[in-house]
Amino acid sequence: MKNSLLVLVVVALVAACTPSVPPQYIQPDDMEDILYDYHVAQAMVKIDRQSESQDFDKSLYFQTVLKKHGITEAEFDSSMIYYYSHLVRLKKIYTEVNERLADEAKQLGASVGEIGRYSQYSTTGDTANVWTGATDVLLMPQPTMNRFDFAVKVDTSFYKGDSFMFQFMSEYIWQSGMKDAVVCIVTKYEGDSIIQTSNHVSVSGLLQIRIPANNEKKLKSMSGFVYLAPNGDADADNPRRLMFISQIQLIRFHNKEQKNESQAEPQKADSLQRGADPRRPLPDSARAGDQRGLPGRPVPVAPGAGPHGVADRSR
């Protein structure tokens, strides 16, 4: 009973210490519902291929969403500015929105798709998801908040001939102007040879970047970044400009033939080292052939000399 009371007290204290969203701004649960409806509306515009003015349609759908929730555009924008300064809360809201969108798609019969195809894989095996960093990232076109850098740990489970695929889902909130994010992957191999692979992301949806296999050299390091480019000074004060990245994965594909060769190389080198160890007894045939003469025929020992003989200098 005392333990239960203590837990309740701790929970109450934590809740009391967590600052709430000021009442003049849209509360987290309401913001989640608005953003969910917003992205559903954007998807409807995207499906409507016959529309001649998608920007007009997006604005119209956005106004419809605000009207549904009884929110003005000014209230929405001021709330977004507040959440921009509290990115942890905004990221949590977007994570919930993303999960709801995925669940809704499944209920409507949508296929799992490429992004979910590799979710079942662990960090080991011939096909593995080796990503260990953050899976959700929120970017805005402002300094210090418009770039996500990462590095991949390369260990003994990586072999020559491995290929890779970097992928994620992206969602934009963008009132106007051109959307442009750059994704770059840099792979460095033995001999300091470097390969750079990059792509642009200008629409919401699935992005995939494939890094081809190198059958000649082993991978030493892999790093990269996602950079959301500024949209000029004209829209610098526009609060509706952000990119939410989710479900980040780095899929590694083993080339089985190259993998077997890479695993055999250390064993071969180890066997040669053991054979060269002077402390390890050699076969008779090897000893007989190592007498600086013909194989199998020992060289006669000179008179007065013997194996490991030392001259007596005490006289």
Side-chain angles (χ1 to χ4, degrees):
M1 183 67 180
K2 292 183 179 179
N3 291 336
S4 300
L5 181 59
L6 179 61
V7 171
L8 290 175
V9 171
V10 171
V11 171
L13 288 174
V14 171
C17 294
T18 303
S20 59
V21 177
Q24 66 267 32
Y25 302 120
I26 300 173
Q27 297 301 299
D29 290 343
D30 294 330
M31 180 61 80
E32 178 185 326
D33 292 337
I34 294 172
L35 291 175
Y36 171 78
D37 288 340
Y38 171 85
H39 285 293
V40 170
Q42 301 305 297
M44 293 174 64
V45 175
K46 188 175 180 180
I47 293 173
D48 186 9
R49 301 289 184 180
Q50 298 180 353
S51 173
E52 296 181 357
S53 177
Q54 287 197 0
D55 288 339
F56 174 78
D57 289 342
K58 288 180 180 180
S59 178
L60 181 62
Y61 275 91
F62 175 65
Q63 295 296 332
T64 302
V65 169
L66 295 182
K67 185 176 180 181
K68 172 185 175 181
H69 292 274
I71 301 296
T72 66
E73 188 171 347
E75 290 172 332
F76 179 83
D77 288 346
S78 63
S79 296
M80 289 300 293
I81 293 174
Y82 167 79
Y83 282 107
Y84 284 168
S85 61
H86 299 78
L87 290 180
V88 174
R89 285 179 171 170
L90 185 56
K91 182 179 177 181
K92 183 178 179 181
I93 290 172
Y94 249 104
T95 300
E96 296 294 331
V97 170
N98 188 68
E99 291 179 358
R100 288 175 60 180
L101 291 171
D103 292 340
E104 182 70 17
K106 291 178 182 179
Q107 292 178 7
L108 294 176
S111 61
V112 175
E114 289 294 319
I115 195 69
R117 176 182 176 185
Y118 300 103
S119 299
Q120 59 181 314
Y121 291 103
S122 63
T123 57
T124 59
D126 289 335
T127 301
N129 178 18
V130 295
W131 182 259
T132 58
T135 57
D136 298 336
V137 177
L138 187 64
L139 298 177
M140 292 181 291
Q142 302 173 13
T144 73
M145 293 187 290
N146 63 342
R147 178 162 171 150
F148 169 60
D149 291 271
F150 59 87
V152 178
K153 182 180 179 180
V154 177
D155 53 29
T156 55
S157 65
F158 289 65
Y159 303 108
K160 291 180 182 179
D162 285 349
S163 60
F164 302 88
M165 182 170 66
F166 183 69
Q167 63 178 15
F168 58 76
M169 294 294 296
S170 63
E171 295 289 346
Y172 275 104
I173 283 187
W174 212 266
Q175 183 177 4
S176 61
M178 184 179 66
K179 303 183 291 288
D180 184 29
V182 179
V183 184
C184 180
I185 308 291
V186 178
T187 47
K188 186 175 182 180
Y189 296 89
E190 292 176 332
D192 292 335
S193 62
I194 296 176
I195 297 178
Q196 180 174 296
T197 309
S198 61
N199 205 342
H200 288 258
V201 186
S202 58
V203 296
S204 299
L206 172 66
L207 170 96
Q208 293 180 323
I209 294 182
R210 293 187 178 272
I211 297 95
N214 188 328
N215 295 323
E216 303 298 329
K217 299 179 180 180
K218 182 177 289 187
L219 180 67
K220 290 179 60 178
S221 65
M222 179 184 295
S223 60
F225 62 85
V226 182
Y227 172 71
L228 182 60
N231 197 26
D233 296 334
D235 288 335
D237 297 328
N238 186 345
R240 269 178 271 152
R241 294 192 303 160
L242 64 83
M243 178 187 186
F244 182 69
I245 298 173
S246 64
Q247 304 180 63
I248 301 176
Q249 298 175 340
L250 178 65
I251 311 302
R252 182 195 62 207
F253 304 94
H254 277 327
N255 181 319
K256 293 184 179 180
E257 294 181 0
Q258 290 285 341
K259 173 186 174 183
N260 293 335
E261 291 180 6
S262 298
Q263 290 176 328
E265 286 177 0
Q267 297 176 2
K268 182 179 179 181
D270 185 56
S271 63
L272 291 174
Q273 291 172 0
R274 288 198 303 269
D277 190 346
R279 296 170 297 179
R280 180 181 176 87
L282 296 174
D284 291 339
S285 59
R287 289 200 298 270
D290 191 30
Q291 300 281 342
R292 302 182 184 276
L294 295 176
R297 296 180 59 185
V299 176
V301 179
H308 307 291
V310 178
D312 186 359
R313 302 181 182 273
S314 60
R315 298 177 184 177

